[in-house]
Amino acid sequence: MSLNRFRRGLNIHGLHRSFLQNSHRGFSRSLQCRSSKTEPSGAKDVRPILIERSLQDIQSVDAEVQTGHSYSIYPRHDYPVEASPFAELSHKDKYNLDPQSMMDQNATVHRAYIALGSNVGDRISMIELACREMDGRHIKVLRTSALYESAPMYLEDQGHFINGVCEVETKLSPLALLDTLKGIEVALGRQKSVKNGPRNIDLDILLYDNTTVDHEILSIPHPRISEREFVLRPLCDLIPQASLPPPFSGPDFNTALQKFATSNKNSLPLTPLSPNLDPISPLGVSRPTLIMGILNLTPDSFSDGGVHPLEPSLLLPTLNAFLLAGVSILDIGGQSTRPRAPQVTAAEELSRVLPTIKFIRSQPAFDKVAISIDTYRASVAHAAVSAGANIVNDVSAGQMDPKMLPTVADLGCSIILMHMRGTPETMTSLTDYSTSYQGDVVYGVASELLLRVADAEKAGIRRWRILLDPGIGFAKKKFQSLSLLRKGKLSPDLRSFPWVVGASRKGFIGDILGIKDPKRRIWGTAAAVTAAVQSGADVVRVHDVVEMAQVIKMADAIYRPAPE
């Protein structure tokens, strides 16, 4: 870029004296800044020097990045958010920035990894807002890690942090990317505090292609990656076999993480369900198993069709019994997914579920209960979440409606991806796992669930918003369902995802016990629920909420005892 072109793209009139004095010479490419403020006196002699020096920095940075080499301009030093050369300029309402001018449309597309952190306010919501801001500022979020909660590392007298990493694609150069991230922090209200102190949002560049950067305000790779378990762990969700770029040496990130294996302060993954319900921590040793109560508003579900009235007020005794038993999630469905069940229209499905969702949300007693909508239709999911549902429970994991995953991404809610092959009409003929998985149904289910996770991530769903369900009885024979109950989520790739198990009253229980009436399978369900807790279930989906609540409480006491 020529100097004249740079100057034409930058209107320097009206910049604050404080900005000029604090500038660290990190201007973005062709940054357009317009303000109606009067030019401060004494600034004329300063600006040309700053702009010339900034242009030299950017040209040097861009040239080195394009060739994949490292560069070093100034020794690094830390600076507070307010002192960032773009802290004020990045506030759109104040300076009317044109984001398009911050990047070269003909530039190479770069891959970067951004650390996400927060320990003030609604931490998860703040991180999600930051990701949406990135998507809107020419930083496309491709994938995210799980979110992990950890104790503060340097300044310990503060709240716990939630940390994650996102993989992004951008045409911004390293300095322009830094500028944009700092602008997002300011836009989201980050304010200066003590070093390493509380912050509502923190965005750091960890890696940028295979490039190293040594600038006075930016070092890539981030110099503290290897000492921070809360950075290595989410990085391993995305690129476990990667390592630091040359000239740095060291093991891959997964190996580097092993040095923290014996620590009692390791980060734990979190999955949010609803604003008033604590997130699930699937690796918590003493975590409680959550009860998901089934509320089928269908005339033809396999075990409770026609049991629950469509008039919401008539459901109140059942709902109160569920609440008293300790239900955490109400799973509401208006379309049966039993084998060969007739398919109703989306309008009919909505007419069954929406009144009940709205009624529950009108009852203050259920404020801390999450609602999931059991549907495979995107239109039903959208309407249900708009009415107050928090979770989408899709038996097809997005396979039966191509609009489902993008819809959930736009809604920003959590989703349960269940394993099923085919459709409810065809699934009973798709139980052969011998060809691709040597007959190992646990390995087959894990492998195919990971494909569904990849689909969800590609659609824009954050990893921390995903729960997995092995689909007991769906495209599984009796012995296969038993194997899944026995072994749970053995695959290490599934460990950070909450595990939802729905074995309640299923046909395999009836086959084993010789009981045809699903309502009489309560004792077999109790055994299956206990096995699910033992093998790692985080949520158990049941019909008989009152009875299974006692079973779960006892199973938790055996397998997940609280510290004495």
Side-chain angles (χ1 to χ4, degrees):
M1 176 192 295
S2 70
L3 181 58
N4 288 335
R5 180 182 170 190
F6 179 82
R7 284 171 169 161
R8 283 198 302 269
L10 180 64
N11 182 349
I12 62 174
H13 291 294
L15 298 181
H16 283 177
R17 180 193 299 272
S18 60
F19 165 70
L20 295 172
Q21 291 174 339
N22 289 318
S23 176
H24 292 281
R25 300 173 296 278
F27 275 72
S28 295
R29 179 191 297 274
S30 301
L31 177 66
Q32 291 180 338
C33 168
R34 300 179 179 89
S35 175
S36 60
K37 295 184 179 295
T38 305
E39 178 180 315
S41 62
K44 287 185 177 180
D45 294 335
V46 179
R47 289 194 203 100
I49 298 173
L50 292 175
I51 294 173
E52 292 280 1
R53 192 62 169 271
S54 301
L55 180 60
Q56 293 171 8
D57 289 1
I58 290 172
Q59 288 175 327
S60 175
V61 169
D62 286 349
E64 296 291 352
V65 168
Q66 294 297 332
T67 58
H69 298 149
S70 63
Y71 62 87
S72 177
I73 302 176
Y74 303 106
R76 176 184 170 84
H77 65 77
D78 292 326
Y79 63 93
V81 170
E82 291 88 338
S84 164
F86 300 96
E88 291 188 57
L89 290 179
S90 297
H91 200 300
K92 292 183 181 179
D93 293 338
K94 189 171 183 179
Y95 285 99
N96 188 29
L97 292 184
D98 176 11
Q100 199 74 14
S101 67
M102 295 184 67
M103 67 182 196
D104 183 350
Q105 294 301 317
N106 297 318
T108 302
V109 175
H110 302 282
R111 188 68 56 94
Y113 293 84
I114 310 298
L116 314 163
S118 175
N119 77 330
V120 175
D122 189 339
R123 300 168 297 171
I124 294 175
S125 292
M126 189 58 61
I127 288 173
E128 291 183 326
L129 280 173
C131 289
R132 286 186 179 268
E133 283 290 312
M134 281 189 268
D135 278 330
R137 301 194 189 196
H138 305 289
I139 307 171
K140 181 177 176 56
V141 177
L142 301 176
R143 295 189 298 157
T144 61
S145 69
L147 288 181
Y148 294 87
E149 185 172 41
S150 61
M153 184 173 180
Y154 303 107
L155 184 64
E156 297 186 359
D157 187 19
Q158 58 180 314
H160 281 208
F161 278 84
I162 288 182
N163 296 100
V165 171
C166 62
E167 179 181 5
V168 305
E169 195 174 73
T170 184
K171 290 184 178 181
L172 297 174
S173 66
L175 290 179
L177 178 59
L178 175 66
D179 303 337
T180 305
L181 295 177
K182 294 307 171 186
I184 292 173
E185 290 181 348
V186 172
L188 295 182
R190 178 170 175 178
Q191 297 180 353
K192 174 71 169 69
S193 64
V194 296
K195 182 178 175 64
N196 296 318
R199 67 212 75 168
N200 68 324
I201 190 65
D202 191 18
L203 305 173
D204 289 324
I205 305 172
L206 299 174
L207 302 166
Y208 184 98
D209 289 338
N210 203 35
T211 302
T212 61
V213 176
D214 187 10
H215 187 274
E216 64 172 335
I217 59 171
L218 178 64
S219 290
I220 301 176
H222 194 286
R224 292 181 175 178
I225 288 178
S226 61
E227 70 183 52
R228 294 179 172 179
E229 183 265 352
F230 60 83
V231 171
L232 284 170
R233 193 167 297 279
L235 264 179
C236 286
D237 285 345
L238 301 175
I239 46 172
Q241 305 306 319
S243 56
L244 296 178
F248 298 94
S249 60
D252 61 56
F253 295 137
N254 192 50
T255 303
L257 183 62
Q258 300 313 307
K259 69 180 180 182
F260 298 99
T262 59
S263 172
N264 60 359
K265 294 185 178 181
N266 283 346
S267 306
L268 293 175
L270 295 178
T271 298
L273 299 178
S274 73
N276 297 324
L277 192 64
D278 289 339
I280 296 177
S281 180
L283 296 183
V285 176
S286 301
R287 69 192 186 280
T289 304
L290 301 188
I291 304 170
M292 173 186 277
I294 299 171
L295 201 64
N296 283 325
L297 304 177
T298 55
D300 56 348
S301 290
F302 82 95
S303 76
D304 58 352
V307 171
H308 302 299
L310 293 180
E311 169 53 47
S313 61
L314 298 179
L315 283 169
L316 199 53
T318 298
L319 293 171
N320 284 333
F322 281 13
L323 185 64
L324 188 62
V327 74
S328 295
I329 307 168
L330 290 170
D331 190 45
I332 299 175
Q335 165 65 64
S336 175
T337 54
R338 66 177 173 81
R340 293 172 293 279
Q343 303 301 296
V344 301
T345 64
E348 175 66 20
E349 187 178 355
L350 283 170
S351 72
R352 295 173 177 178
V353 300
L354 284 186
T356 295
I357 292 173
K358 293 176 181 178
F359 175 76
I360 294 171
R361 279 292 162 249
S362 72
Q363 304 295 308
F366 293 89
D367 283 349
K368 292 188 177 181
V369 175
I371 296 176
S372 64
I373 176 65
D374 182 1
T375 186
Y376 59 78
R377 290 187 172 105
S379 60
V380 174
H382 189 280
V385 172
S386 299
N390 312 104
I391 305 163
V392 174
N393 183 11
D394 184 356
V395 297
S396 77
Q399 300 302 291
M400 292 177 66
D401 185 343
K403 295 181 180 179
M404 176 61 90
L405 297 180
T407 295
V408 172
D410 289 340
L411 291 169
C413 64
S414 297
I415 184 171
I416 301 171
L417 302 177
M418 196 193 81
H419 178 271
M420 180 178 69
R421 289 173 164 183
T423 67
E425 291 85 359
T426 63
M427 64 183 180
T428 55
S429 64
L430 300 172
T431 58
D432 184 2
Y433 294 82
S434 61
T435 303
S436 301
Y437 308 110
Q438 293 78 49
D440 187 342
V441 68
V442 175
Y443 172 57
V445 167
S447 300
E448 292 175 11
L449 277 176
L450 287 172
L451 293 177
R452 304 290 78 79
V453 169
D455 291 340
E457 289 181 318
K458 187 176 181 180
I461 298 174
R462 312 307 184 200
R463 178 177 285 237
W464 58 75
R465 284 287 180 179
I466 298 174
L467 300 85
L468 300 178
D469 183 338
I472 302 294
F474 285 77
K476 283 96 179 170
K477 295 180 179 179
K478 175 176 62 179
F479 74 93
Q480 294 168 331
S481 290
L482 291 172
S483 183
L484 286 165
L485 282 173
R486 189 180 303 118
K487 297 180 181 179
K489 51 176 183 178
L490 285 181
S491 171
D493 295 324
L494 302 179
R495 294 182 73 244
S496 65
F497 296 101
W499 198 240
V500 181
V501 177
S504 181
R505 300 183 182 179
K506 289 285 176 72
F508 76 95
I509 296 176
D511 289 345
I512 293 171
L513 300 181
I515 299 175
K516 291 185 178 180
D517 183 359
K519 297 182 185 66
R520 295 181 55 238
R521 297 171 186 167
I522 187 168
W523 295 112
T525 296
V529 165
T530 302
V533 173
Q534 189 273 337
S535 63
D538 300 287
V539 179
V540 176
R541 184 178 182 270
V542 296
H543 298 85
D544 305 291
V545 171
V546 174
E547 294 84 355
M548 291 309 113
Q550 296 180 39
V551 173
I552 290 169
K553 186 174 183 180
M554 195 66 205
D556 278 351
I558 296 170
Y559 298 112
R560 299 174 187 175
E564 296 181 359

